[in-house]
Amino acid sequence: MAEKAKQAEVEATEAKTTETPEIQVSEAQKNPEQFLKDFNWHNYQEGIDEVEDSQLQEFEKLVADNFVDTLDDEVVEGEVIHITDRDAIIDINAKSEGVISLNEFRYNPDLKVGDKVEVLIDVREDATGQLVLSHRKARVIKAWDRVNAAHDNGEIVKGFVKCRTKGGMIVDVFGIEAFLPGSQIDVKPIRDYDAYVNKTMEFKVVKINHEFKNVVVSHKALIEADIEEQKKEIISQLEKGQVLEGVVKNITSYGVFIDLGGVDGLVHITDLSWSRINHPNEIVELDQKLNVVILDFDEDKSRIQLGLKQLSKHPWDALGEDVKVGDKVKGKVVVIADYGAFIEVAEGVEGLIHVSEMSWSTHLRSAQDFVSVGDEVEAQILTLDREERKMSLGIKQLTPDPWTDITTKYPVGSTHKGIVRNFTNFGVFVELEEGIDGLIYISDLSWTKKIKHPSEFCNVGDELEVVVLELDVEGRKLSLGHKQTTENPWDKYEAEFAVGTSHTAEISDIVDKGATIEFNEDIVAFVPARHLEKEDGKKLKKGEEAEFKIIEFNKEFKRVVASHTAIFREEEAKIVKAAAKKAANAAAEAKPTLGDANETLQALKDKMDGKK
């Protein structure tokens, strides 16, 4: 461009030197006065030679055709004439070419010589005389017009992904930093955002906020239209039983979502494998390609149910015909419930061991007491239904039934030791050995204690000595007794506390309608209220010691009734009887008068009433 300017100056100078002398001579010779009158003294003083107007216009046209006006903030179009490792050389028809860093073209990695680009004159002449241009600033000036036009027209734009940010990515679009939400990057979930950084991609402008100068773009929107067409085509061809290839899109605890090419289907966890699994990631992994079969879909085919295990033969169909009831099998515990455990005896073939088939014991226990998930166990096939695909197993059948020789091991009257396993309101269950349980009724726990609930007498896990009272082999029932292991203390108490015997004790407690007294640790007697009266007419109180007479003793019901009043009442009766006898003897000897006899009886009566 500098050469073009010099050429224009040379042409103008030649025109002046060839034509001007002829004009000057002719004018000066023809009309000297007029020449002097029109002479431009200012140009002469400035050292400017006079040029005709036509020549000036031609020169101005030449400059206008070959040079640009380098005003500030004006965007002009330039051409890439050379590219170095760091810069792009741009020709804008100015005196010299401009330089722009290639960093400003990161969004356009395909930049090449000959491309037209918009630039802004940043510095018209730096220290080295170089023209400095800016493509980024030019893009910013034009960016908003382009962004708005792209949004209004649905135009596809290119953008450079600069970096990650919270919830998405920052994209350079026309020099404007736009936001790309994570959900708008692709139709499938993105697991590695960093893989998109420093990449140039196509986008659609989906939202513009003019007030805050915010732009939102979407890459997902570009492919959704194509996917929608694919989706319609796939849905129109769906049939139950059809096998399709898909890609694992998402894995949840309840199943796997498969991308069938724009259409998503769900493989429920129960349709992944014939065997039990705890989580789908045991079978599949993300982005894995696999074949699935269509099991079902709704009317509009928006919900598609898929299956994976259905592509392989059912394990029950492959189960050998030689497997039969009574056979022993080995397997692994896969699931435990309160009522039993499921054992996988072959891949996809399970049998149930009910808790009642785990032990010969009859008292209530849970399956967790016998097995744990993952245990390898051996069992016997009890039932087998190939059509219903059900199998029941038993563990206890592998050991002898302890009730087979029960009469030999536990005859009536024999004494044994057992462990307390359970309580009921009416008694205690005691285990003599695995599978042999017996019941001790609450009345057979103690000879002397009045027990309202068995927990008052013993605890679960205690060892008790028992005697076999009854044996029902067919009903598999044992009746046991604990108190029978010791002598009945009431046998000796029957003589010691016979009716009419007297004993000294203190009032233990005042109860309704009387009081209680403890003669020893076994004998607790009841004293009716009217039998608490002392000789002086007062009643015994709690803690007061006195003599009592047994007025009732019942060994069967363990009932003892005592009386303090009977002690001195009996003494009074003896005195009356003795006085009467003495009076009778005296009458026989002295023949007393009737008044003497009355006087004696009155004195006795007064004594009894406490007057004397």
Side-chain angles (χ1 to χ4, degrees):
M1 293 306 295
E3 293 177 357
K4 292 180 181 179
K6 290 179 181 180
Q7 182 66 28
E9 290 180 8
V10 170
E11 292 176 357
T13 303
E14 289 178 351
K16 179 181 71 173
T17 55
T18 56
E19 298 178 5
T20 302
E22 183 181 349
I23 296 173
Q24 288 178 343
V25 172
S26 62
E27 288 294 335
Q29 291 175 351
K30 291 179 180 179
N31 194 352
E33 294 182 1
Q34 186 65 34
F35 174 77
L36 293 175
K37 180 180 179 181
D38 297 334
F39 187 74
N40 191 333
W41 294 97
H42 179 268
N43 288 348
Y44 174 76
Q45 291 175 355
E46 294 292 331
I48 301 175
D49 294 332
E50 185 174 354
V51 181
E52 287 188 354
D53 291 340
S54 60
Q55 293 176 337
L56 288 174
Q57 291 176 0
E58 184 180 355
F59 180 76
E60 289 175 356
K61 181 178 182 300
L62 187 62
V63 171
D65 292 340
N66 291 277
F67 296 98
V68 298
D69 188 4
T70 57
L71 297 178
D72 294 337
D73 297 334
E74 183 176 354
V75 177
V76 297
E77 186 177 65
E79 180 181 350
V80 179
I81 61 174
H82 184 65
I83 296 178
T84 68
D85 293 339
R86 299 176 58 185
D87 303 312
I89 310 302
I90 311 297
D91 180 9
I92 62 169
N93 288 335
K95 290 191 299 181
S96 61
E97 291 80 8
V99 178
I100 299 178
S101 172
L102 287 179
N103 287 334
E104 298 192 21
F105 294 97
R106 286 186 301 173
Y107 74 95
N108 184 12
D110 300 325
L111 183 70
K112 61 185 181 298
V113 174
D115 285 354
K116 300 292 184 180
V117 294
E118 292 178 334
V119 297
L120 180 72
I121 299 171
D122 202 2
V123 178
R124 280 176 286 184
E125 190 173 314
D126 62 7
T128 61
Q130 181 66 57
L131 178 65
V132 180
L133 306 177
S134 173
H135 177 60
R136 181 181 60 79
K137 293 182 179 180
R139 292 178 71 215
V140 171
I141 292 175
K142 295 292 186 179
W144 279 102
D145 292 338
R146 290 183 177 180
V147 166
N148 281 287
H151 179 260
D152 295 339
N153 301 328
E155 178 185 349
I156 298 174
V157 299
K158 282 189 175 182
F160 178 77
V161 181
K162 297 176 65 176
C163 61
R164 282 191 60 179
T165 187
K166 184 178 181 181
M169 318 286 285
I170 297 297
V171 179
D172 184 337
V173 178
F174 301 141
I176 294 177
E177 287 191 347
F179 177 60
L180 172 63
S183 61
Q184 295 299 316
I185 297 177
D186 205 338
V187 291
K188 60 183 180 181
I190 301 300
R191 290 176 287 278
D192 184 12
Y193 283 79
D194 292 331
Y196 293 87
V197 177
N198 295 327
K199 281 191 175 182
T200 299
M201 302 169 62
E202 292 184 335
F203 301 96
K204 258 192 172 184
V205 180
V206 294
K207 185 178 181 182
I208 298 177
N209 189 319
H210 294 279
E211 181 179 357
F212 297 102
K213 299 294 183 182
N214 290 337
V215 178
V216 179
V217 295
S218 171
H219 178 68
K220 175 182 176 181
L222 295 179
I223 56 179
E224 280 183 333
D226 294 336
I227 290 177
E228 191 62 30
E229 292 298 324
Q230 296 177 13
K231 184 176 180 180
K232 290 179 180 178
E233 182 178 355
I234 292 173
I235 288 178
S236 64
Q237 299 175 356
L238 288 181
E239 294 180 3
K240 292 182 181 180
Q242 185 179 10
V243 178
L244 299 174
E245 184 182 61
V247 179
V248 177
K249 181 177 181 180
N250 193 19
I251 299 176
T252 67
S253 60
Y254 55 85
V256 178
F257 287 94
I258 306 295
D259 183 358
L260 301 174
V263 181
D264 289 348
L266 173 64
V267 182
H268 194 268
I269 187 172
T270 56
D271 291 316
L272 283 171
S273 172
W274 292 113
S275 301
R276 287 182 188 263
I277 58 174
N278 296 318
H279 197 278
N281 57 21
E282 299 176 17
I283 303 296
V284 298
E285 58 185 19
L286 288 171
D287 299 326
Q288 178 182 351
K289 288 185 178 180
L290 43 80
N291 291 329
V292 290
V293 60
I294 298 176
L295 302 180
D296 200 1
F297 46 76
D298 55 8
E299 292 183 359
D300 58 0
K301 300 182 180 179
S302 60
R303 294 183 180 182
I304 305 173
Q305 182 182 346
L306 305 174
L308 180 62
K309 70 179 184 181
Q310 287 78 5
L311 295 177
S312 60
K313 191 175 181 180
H314 197 290
W316 272 89
D317 298 333
L319 190 66
E321 292 295 332
D322 56 336
V323 178
K324 59 185 182 302
V325 173
D327 288 351
K328 294 180 182 179
V329 293
K330 291 183 178 180
K332 183 173 69 173
V333 179
V334 291
V335 175
I336 293 181
D338 290 337
Y339 53 85
F342 288 92
I343 311 299
E344 188 176 52
V345 298
E347 186 177 356
V349 178
E350 295 178 2
L352 171 64
I353 303 179
H354 194 272
V355 67
S356 63
E357 303 298 340
M358 292 183 174
S359 170
W360 291 109
S361 178
T362 56
H363 61 81
L364 297 177
R365 293 165 77 178
S366 63
Q368 289 89 337
D369 296 332
F370 299 97
V371 294
S372 302
V373 173
D375 287 353
E376 295 285 345
V377 299
E378 186 177 22
Q380 183 177 343
I381 299 177
L382 304 181
T383 63
L384 180 63
D385 189 338
R386 293 179 180 271
E387 292 184 1
E388 294 292 329
R389 293 171 176 170
K390 291 182 180 180
M391 181 190 301
S392 63
L393 307 173
I395 295 178
K396 70 181 184 181
Q397 287 77 10
L398 301 179
T399 58
D401 185 352
W403 281 83
T404 303
D405 56 350
I406 188 72
T407 55
T408 303
K409 291 190 294 185
Y410 301 102
V412 174
S414 59
T415 301
H416 309 274
K417 288 185 178 180
I419 304 298
V420 176
R421 291 299 185 190
N422 196 16
F423 291 141
T424 66
N425 291 330
F426 52 83
V428 178
F429 284 99
V430 176
E431 184 181 58
L432 300 180
E433 65 172 84
E434 183 73 22
I436 303 296
D437 294 341
L439 173 65
I440 304 176
Y441 282 97
I442 196 170
S443 59
D444 289 320
L445 287 173
S446 174
W447 290 112
T448 57
K449 293 181 179 179
K450 293 182 178 180
I451 302 170
K452 295 181 179 179
H453 192 273
S455 59
E456 300 174 5
F457 183 80
C458 58
N459 298 313
V460 173
D462 287 353
E463 185 180 70
L464 288 181
E465 190 174 11
V466 295
V467 172
V468 178
L469 303 180
E470 295 180 12
L471 176 58
D472 182 359
V473 178
E474 292 183 1
R476 303 173 77 93
K477 292 181 180 180
L478 269 178
S479 179
L480 306 176
H482 173 67
K483 70 180 183 180
Q484 288 80 2
T485 60
T486 61
E487 184 181 353
N488 188 352
W490 287 85
D491 291 339
K492 64 178 181 178
Y493 293 151
E494 187 175 18
E496 183 180 350
F497 294 93
V499 175
T501 59
S502 297
H503 307 272
T504 301
E506 67 177 31
I507 301 296
S508 300
D509 197 9
I510 301 298
V511 298
D512 187 29
K513 297 182 179 180
T516 59
I517 54 176
E518 295 181 4
F519 290 124
N520 56 39
E521 60 180 6
D522 297 326
I523 303 297
V524 178
F526 174 70
V527 182
R530 60 189 180 87
H531 290 275
L532 290 172
E533 185 177 343
K534 297 188 290 187
E535 192 174 358
D536 59 4
K538 297 179 181 180
K539 289 190 175 183
L540 294 171
K541 297 180 180 179
K542 183 177 179 179
E544 192 171 352
E545 189 176 76
E547 188 176 4
F548 298 89
K549 178 178 284 190
I550 305 300
I551 59 177
E552 182 183 347
F553 184 89
N554 189 315
K555 182 176 71 172
E556 182 180 356
F557 295 103
K558 299 178 179 59
R559 175 180 171 83
V560 178
V561 180
S563 171
H564 171 68
T565 304
I567 296 294
F568 63 85
R569 291 293 186 192
E570 183 180 2
E571 186 64 30
E572 290 175 356
K574 288 180 180 179
I575 294 173
V576 171
K577 187 176 180 180
K581 185 177 181 180
K582 184 179 180 181
N585 292 335
E589 294 177 1
K591 294 183 180 180
T593 63
L594 183 58
D596 294 335
N598 289 339
E599 184 178 352
T600 302
L601 292 174
Q602 183 63 44
L604 179 59
K605 185 173 184 288
D606 291 342
K607 181 180 179 181
M608 292 178 64
D609 293 339
K611 294 182 179 181
K612 292 185 180 181

